[in-house]
Amino acid sequence: MSPEIGIIMGSDSDLPTMKDAIAICEQFCIISEVAIISAHRTPERMVEYAQTAHERGIKVIIAGAGGAAHLPGMVASLTPLPVIGVPVATRNLQGIDSLYSIVQMPAGIPVATVAIGNAKNAGLLAIQIIASHRPELLKKVQEYRQSLKDMVMDKQGKLEELGYQEYLQQHLQ
């Protein structure tokens, strides 16, 4: 089977953030391809990747970048596929610069943008996009959501059982 989700990043320093997108794809048994593609240092590679991704079977591209964070927007301008941008935190501005760069796209070239550093949500969104056409995957997404609900309800039960002070000592410190 060929990859359905492309996970790209501007630099290897983005990998600690982007690993969460890779991991959630693995959890849902979705094959992804992972690549370092710099909008500024390897622009020809970026153009080729973006223009041919759909021909290779990619359905959604997740692009993470920090600083100027041009990768998601440039890729979106070159591909017919949905692009999800992940703003990567930077040393000086903690990712606010990346967020602003990714979210401020001109009309006609959308990039879905998740919170700073939230590659897991980018992966989940990509999976949900694919699941909209695959009932078996949609069922997995529904089961995942149910597990989140169950987790919260378990925590509520423990809170009621222990009281807030004991709960804090056991679970949040």
Side-chain angles (χ1 to χ4, degrees), residues 6-168:
I7 300 172
I8 62 175
M9 62 208 83
S11 169
D12 64 343
S13 64
D14 301 331
L15 188 55
T17 297
M18 299 305 289
K19 70 178 173 33
D20 294 338
I22 300 165
I24 199 72
C25 288
E26 290 173 349
Q27 183 179 333
F28 277 85
C29 300
I30 299 294
I31 298 171
S32 64
E33 63 182 25
V34 180
I36 299 168
I37 300 176
S38 172
H40 303 109
R41 295 182 186 110
T42 61
E44 295 88 359
R45 176 171 156 77
M46 177 198 63
V47 169
E48 192 272 331
Y49 182 90
Q51 290 179 338
T52 63
H54 69 282
E55 296 167 1
R56 293 191 319 278
I58 298 296
K59 310 256 184 317
V60 182
I61 297 172
I62 300 170
H70 292 147
L71 183 63
M74 289 304 300
V75 168
S77 75
L78 294 163
T79 185
L81 299 175
V83 175
I84 303 167
V86 179
V88 175
T90 55
R91 214 169 315 143
N92 296 328
L93 297 174
Q94 292 74 50
I96 295 295
D97 51 343
S98 311
L99 174 65
Y100 286 161
S101 178
I102 296 171
V103 81
Q104 293 295 334
M105 291 300 297
I109 309 294
V111 174
T113 309
V114 297
I116 297 167
N118 201 337
K120 182 176 182 177
N121 265 3
L124 286 167
L125 180 56
I127 290 164
Q128 287 176 240
I129 290 168
I130 294 169
S132 68
H133 301 288
R134 291 196 14 214
E136 78 286 352
L137 186 56
L138 187 61
K139 184 172 175 34
K140 285 184 180 182
V141 169
Q142 290 170 315
E143 290 168 356
Y144 176 80
R145 292 280 183 94
Q146 183 63 47
S147 75
L148 296 177
K149 178 182 175 182
D150 293 345
M151 179 183 63
V152 171
M153 295 311 294
D154 288 346
K155 290 178 180 182
Q156 175 60 34
K158 290 276 190 219
L159 178 60
E160 290 173 2
E161 174 187 324
L162 299 173
Y164 84 92
Q165 291 176 335
E166 184 68 24
Y167 186 92
L168 280 172

